[in-house]
Amino acid sequence: MAVWDDMRQLLLEASRVGPVKMLKYAAVLAVLVLSHIPCLKLAGKVYYYCGWERKRDMALSQGHEITAKLIKGHNDHIDYSAGGSLADCHPSGIYEYMLNGETKRYHAGFQGCEYPPKTLALYYINNPNRMFSVDESHLGDGLRFLPGFLVSGLPWVLAAVTVILLGLAP
């Protein structure tokens, strides 16, 4: 019975707010919900333009893709008895590829505990001496999520501005 009494008390308090204030709260909720749709689409575009996939697509459009073969792979083995964890695993590989009749090497580091792949797709945009791979782990990968998080927080900022404009802020 206490739950029903609490519900009745909440409804009575809500009815005292008045219809105008309830419409203002509904407007804030509508801004919050409806602004998520374009912001999620924008976050996907920001993620793409800040990531390695865009650079790969630019290199592919120029026909600058080379397949490299693994010549030496290394995978740190985890010593669980010494308190090791999966975070201690750092596989890496040395890859060899041919470019303009010249054999070159590429060092790649990976995440996870799997052995480095046998082949690796390498790309370059303008300078063949500046190869990159989409499959390896990159030092700045954590930072490329930051613009997406900022765009995802935009609906909350819009809702806060709506609260201030409608005079609902204390």
Side-chain angles (χ1 to χ4, degrees):
M1 284 303 236
V3 173
W4 292 110
D5 291 337
D6 291 341
M7 293 285 284
R8 188 169 58 95
Q9 187 67 23
L10 284 172
L11 287 173
L12 284 173
E13 287 177 18
S15 65
R16 285 189 221 136
V17 170
V20 174
K21 203 164 195 178
M22 289 300 280
L23 284 173
K24 289 180 180 180
Y25 282 124
V28 171
L29 184 64
V31 166
L32 182 63
V33 170
L34 294 177
S35 63
H36 268 83
I37 297 167
C39 284
L40 287 176
K41 290 181 180 180
L42 183 61
K45 288 182 180 180
V46 167
Y47 176 78
Y48 174 76
Y49 283 107
C50 290
W52 291 95
E53 289 82 7
R54 178 173 177 255
K55 289 179 83 174
R56 177 199 57 207
D57 292 345
M58 289 171 57
L60 285 175
S61 69
Q62 298 171 4
H64 297 161
E65 179 183 18
I66 297 171
T67 303
K69 293 184 181 178
L70 180 69
I71 58 171
K72 183 179 179 185
H74 177 70
N75 191 359
D76 292 340
H77 295 285
I78 304 168
D79 185 10
Y80 289 107
S81 63
S85 68
L86 290 176
D88 298 332
C89 209
H90 304 288
S92 61
I94 299 174
Y95 292 86
E96 200 169 69
Y97 62 93
M98 292 284 289
L99 182 66
N100 299 330
E102 187 179 338
T103 303
K104 295 188 176 189
R105 290 189 174 186
Y106 182 83
H107 298 267
F110 300 94
Q111 291 180 340
C113 285
E114 296 180 12
Y115 198 74
K118 300 268 186 216
T119 60
L120 186 66
L122 298 175
Y123 309 95
Y124 67 93
I125 296 178
N126 294 327
N127 187 354
N129 294 325
R130 297 189 64 191
M131 292 288 209
F132 66 93
S133 171
V134 178
D135 299 326
E136 68 178 310
S137 75
H138 299 279
L139 186 61
D141 275 351
L143 295 177
R144 76 178 196 172
F145 292 107
L146 184 62
F149 284 131
L150 293 176
V151 171
S152 298
L154 191 60
W156 295 98
V157 172
L158 292 174
V161 169
T162 306
V163 165
I164 293 168
L165 290 177
L166 292 176
L168 294 173

